[in-house]
């Protein structure tokens, strides 16, 4: 008996004192009386715990519950050099290329859910939502938005720009555009005193224009062009689809992060970044629908094209707006497409009306 | 066979812990980096490494425990649960969006149903997690196991939770002990089943020290609420005249009670754990725990102090008093917001919450709890466990799934 060790036979937790020796490519384990208890092929011997490599060394045989414990002063070096697969996984276990493939597949399917599945779900589910409910939702999200903007603008309590004359100009054109586009919703235009060049459509016919857009616009035609584009989104129910997508994405992210309670806020942010704004197709379709409506009303869409081109050029403020708030990443392509579609030359408002509109958000006194 | 004194002194301790904090920190840091780089996917393998660390550092009668689970099993179990939970969640959201916003009762009902489902999933997840962990734990080659039915456990947990709610929390120790009894009585090593002897009456007085501050907080809270009027929409409630002194007293009471509650609950939790371990039997072997309250309290307090320092110090030193969170820099900032004032603090907070806080908590507190639980537990007649024979019971094939999706179980 060259060495002493202890052995657990895998049937009970008893500890047997054994002797071990290597014989013809096998480790022979025998009890104190010299009877052979087990014969382990050297190629099948593994560390029982791969992370623990200091004495006492514990070994096992591939697929077997039995354990061999070398005495605590034996580092097992004499034996381990003879076992070629000591650190390998058991035969029949899944190998790492399979895991890599499974991992890539898992990531691809999660990406697939975001890119294909959620939009598909959203465009189906949106048809199930009654118009009346979308209108109520829109009203709620408008109030929330005003509340949020109000928090950011603490010094300025009169956030909603109220100028009856200017509002009348906007409402008149909004009504015409909605009628031409067969909008299922009456359009409510709200102008907010927020210095960002942007406008957005909310579910249920709510359109928000931020005062930064009035500041940047050079004519009333530009503003009405943007309005037409946003009303097109409303008619297509794009905002509703986005909020459905965001709900799904938030759910998925919170499941993936593995937290249904604390991670809710985090997943909310993450999902609105992932499912940000409209797809390029939705933007192009809304450009088309908007310009067609302007044509029908005899109004020119070229100022809209100019405006798109202008604001897409490095706006210092918009650099800091997260992409998901900036729904108009306009490019030269869109400008050219709008120009090509525009057929009429009518102006949306007189010079006096434009002055009224432009000064809508200037503080009185 | 009576043991003489000499034999007793040369006997090795029954349970020993060999883990070193330094090697644990290394495991956690590598895990953290890989988890962030893999967008969270690595966490299953990370958990497995942490468990291997603890299991293999616990020695019982001189032989270490072995954790035989793999990250792959956990990952597959998680994917299966996601495949079930995601459609369920979508259906819930769809129903939620179909309910009109002004149908308050329907909305409340839906909310209640949501939390009931989450509650049930938590219980099921916990029991299945224990089953998986036991099936992947071996000692001297003999597997642990958990029998019993997840549904019975869920029914038991639901009944006790209801009773706890009705008694305003007084039945809590009874719930804890009864659930523990079910869990332990279905836990086995090989084919030897554990038993639990204990009565929650023994925990009643420790619980009363938690219960009194709890009732004070609730009472004072109701008192303050009644001192205000006008709960109309979007309107700040105003204080009823002449109640100022009362509200101030109640506020102080809440503050003191909260502090008392946290300390008492911590002490109670340690006592309960001690009691739970001390009632465990296996044949003639019986467990005794001397889990130290003061030591664990100091480690918990140290962890919180360190976390506070981590989050506060950089802000005070680097950003100065005019620190502005700057999520929306355009709101009232004519000057452009800079990286150091916008992104950097958010990034720092994110890293703190995701990486540094769990690191501090695990290394200082969790490590100490596990270490103390091991070294302060003694087992009389421990040799009985050597007779445990391997059981042929089936073991679960995939990992904890639900527990991973719901983030329960600690590590």
């Amino acid at each position: 008996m060259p060495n002493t060790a202890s052995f657990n036979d895998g049937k009970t937790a008893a500890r047997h004192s054994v002797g071990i020796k290597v014989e013809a490519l096998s480790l022979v384990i025998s009890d104190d009386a010299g009877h052979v208890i087990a014969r382990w092929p050297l190629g099948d011997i593994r560390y029982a715990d791969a992370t623990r490599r200091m004495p006492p060394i514990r070994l096992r045989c591939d697929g077997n519950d039995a354990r061999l414990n070398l005495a605590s002063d034996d580092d097992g070096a004499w034996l381990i050099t003879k076992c070629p697969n000591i650190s390998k996984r058991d035969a029949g276990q899944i190998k790492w290329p399979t895991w890599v493939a499974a991992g890539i597949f898992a990531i691809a399917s999660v990406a697939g859910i975001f890119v294909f599945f959620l939009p598909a779900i959203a465009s189906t589910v949106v048809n199930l939502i009654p118009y009346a409910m979308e209108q109520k939702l829109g009203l709620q999200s408008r109030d929330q938005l005003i509340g949020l903007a109000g928090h950011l603008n603490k010094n300025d309590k009169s956030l909603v720009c109220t100028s009856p004359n200017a509002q009348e100009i906007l409402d008149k054109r909004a009504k015409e555009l909605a009628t031409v586009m067969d909008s299922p919703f009456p359009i409510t235009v709200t102008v907010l005193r927020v210095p960002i060049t942007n406008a957005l459509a909310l579910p249920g016919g709510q359109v928000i224009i931020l005062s930064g857009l009035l500041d940047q616009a050079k004519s009333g035609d530009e503003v009405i062009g943007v309005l037409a584009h946003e009303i097109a989104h409303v008619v297509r129910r794009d905002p509703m689809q986005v909020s459905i997508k965001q709900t799904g994405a938030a759910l998925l992210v919170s499941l993936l992060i593995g937290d249904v309670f604390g991670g809710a806020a985090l997943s909310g942010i993450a999902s609105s970044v992932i499912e940000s704004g409209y797809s390029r197709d939705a933007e192009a379709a809304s450009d088309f629908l908007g310009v067609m409506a302007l044509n029908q009303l005899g109004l020119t869409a070229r100022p809209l094209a100019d405006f798109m081109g202008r604001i897409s050029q490095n706006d210092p403020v918009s650099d800091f707006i997260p992409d998901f708030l900036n729904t108009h990443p306009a490019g030269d392509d869109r400008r050219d497409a709008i120009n090509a579609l525009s057929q009429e030359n009518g102006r949306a408002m007189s010079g006096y009306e434009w002055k009224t509109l432009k000064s809508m958000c200037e503080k009185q006194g | 066979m009576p043991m003489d004194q000499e034999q007793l002194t040369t006997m090795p301790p029954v349970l020993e812990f060999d883990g070193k904090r330094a090697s644990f920190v290394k495991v956690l840091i590598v895990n953290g980096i890989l988890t962030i780089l893999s967008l969270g996917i690595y966490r299953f393998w990370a958990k497995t490494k942490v468990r291997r660390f603890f299991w293999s550092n616990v020695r019982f009668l001189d032989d270490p425990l072995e954790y035989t689970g793999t990250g792959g099993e956990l990952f597959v179990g998680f994917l299966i649960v996601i495949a079930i939970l995601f459609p369920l969640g979508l259906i819930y959201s769809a129903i939620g969006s179909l309910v009109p916003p002004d149908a308050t009762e329907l909305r409340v009902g839906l909310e209640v149903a949501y939390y009931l489902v989450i509650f049930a999933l938590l219980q099921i997840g916990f029991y299945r997690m224990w089953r998986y962990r036991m099936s992947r734990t071996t000692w001297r080659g003999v597997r642990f196991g958990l029998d019993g039915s997840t549904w019975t456990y869920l029914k038991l947990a639901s009944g006790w939770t209801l009773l706890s709610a009705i008694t305003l929390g007084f039945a809590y120790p009874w719930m804890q002990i009864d659930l523990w009894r079910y869990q332990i009585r279905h836990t086995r090593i090989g084919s030897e089943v554990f038993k639990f002897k204990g009565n929650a009456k023994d925990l009643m007085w420790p619980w009363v020290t938690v219960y009194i501050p709890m009732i004070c907080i609730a009472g004072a809270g109701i008192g303050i609420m009644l001192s205000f009027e006008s709960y109309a929409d979007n309107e700040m409630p105003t204080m009823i005249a002449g109640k100022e002194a009362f509200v101030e007293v109640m506020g102080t009471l809440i503050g003191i009670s909260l502090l008392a509650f946290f300390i008492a609950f911590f002490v109670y939790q340690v006592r309960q754990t001690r009691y739970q371990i001390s009632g465990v039997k296996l044949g003639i072997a019986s467990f005794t725990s001397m889990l130290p309250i003061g030591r664990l309290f100091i480690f918990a307090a140290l962890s919180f102090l360190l976390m506070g320092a981590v989050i506060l110090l950089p802000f005070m030193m680097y950003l100065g008093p005019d620190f502005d969170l700057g999520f929306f820099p355009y709101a009232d900032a004519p000057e452009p917001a800079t990286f150091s004032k916008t992104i950097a603090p958010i990034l720092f907070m994110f890293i703190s919450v995701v990486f540094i806080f769990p690191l501090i908590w695990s290394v200082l507190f969790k490590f100490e709890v596990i270490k103390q639980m091991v070294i302060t537990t003694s087992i009389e007649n421990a040799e009985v466990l050597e007779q445990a024979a391997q059981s042929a019971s089936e073991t679960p094939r995939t990992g904890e799934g639900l527990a991973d999706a719901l983030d329960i179980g600690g590590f």
Side-chain angles (χ1 to χ4, degrees), chain A residues 6 8-15 47-52 54 56 58 60 65-67 69 72 89 93-94 99 102-103 106-107 110 113 117-118 121 125 128-130 133 136-137 140 148-149 151-155 194-196 240 244 247-249 251-261 266 269 316-317 320-322 324-325, chain B residues 18 38-41 43 45 49 52-53 55-57 59 61-68 70-73 75-76 78-79 82 85-86 88-90 93-94 96-102 114-115 118 122 138-143 189 327-332 336-339 342 350 354 385-391 404-407:
Chain A
S6 71
N8 312 122
D9 60 11
K11 296 187 188 85
T12 75
R15 194 179 199 182
Y47 281 116
D49 178 354
T51 54
R52 191 188 172 99
M54 49 181 187
R58 287 160 44 72
R60 63 187 173 86
D65 287 332
R67 296 288 185 270
N69 312 287
S72 51
R89 291 162 179 275
Q93 262 195 319
I94 303 166
W99 284 118
I107 292 169
V110 168
I113 288 176
F117 182 66
L118 277 180
I121 290 259
V125 169
L128 299 174
I129 293 174
M133 190 187 303
K136 276 183 189 164
L137 271 173
Q140 276 185 341
L148 175 73
H151 275 295
L152 300 174
N153 249 2
K154 279 176 215 120
N155 332 338
V194 176
I196 306 173
M240 196 64 221
I244 295 169
T247 311
L251 185 70
L252 196 62
V253 170
S254 74
L255 280 177
L256 288 177
I257 292 177
D259 192 336
V260 280
F261 304 107
L266 192 69
I269 297 168
V317 180
F320 280 103
I321 306 171
F324 64 91
L325 284 176
Chain B
D18 303 330
S38 67
L39 301 176
I41 304 284
R43 72 176 186 278
W45 287 268
K49 276 210 245 164
R52 282 221 181 104
F53 173 85
W55 265 242
S56 69
N57 280 312
R59 271 189 296 132
L61 293 180
D62 219 25
D63 281 316
L65 296 181
E66 217 179 278
Y67 181 75
T68 59
T70 66
E73 286 171 347
F75 183 54
V76 171
F78 173 73
L79 287 184
I82 290 295
L85 280 193
F86 184 66
L88 274 181
L90 274 188
S93 308
S97 65
L98 288 175
V99 173
D102 48 2
Y114 176 79
Y115 284 109
I118 291 285
L122 281 174
T138 74
W139 176 67
R140 291 189 178 174
V142 175
R143 274 185 302 278
I189 167 167
F327 282 103
F328 297 92
Y330 47 80
D332 50 4
T338 54
F339 174 79
T342 53
F350 182 78
V354 170
L385 272 86
E386 296 197 320
Q387 292 159 18
Q390 191 76 280
S391 159
D404 274 321
L406 302 173
D407 198 21

Side-chain angles (χ1 to χ4, degrees), chain B residues 266-268 270-271 274 290-298:
Chain B
F266 186 89
V267 171
Y268 169 81
V270 178
R271 281 189 182 171
R274 212 194 258 173
M290 303 284 286
L291 199 59
I293 295 171
R295 194 181 169 86
L296 292 184
F297 190 82
I298 289 170

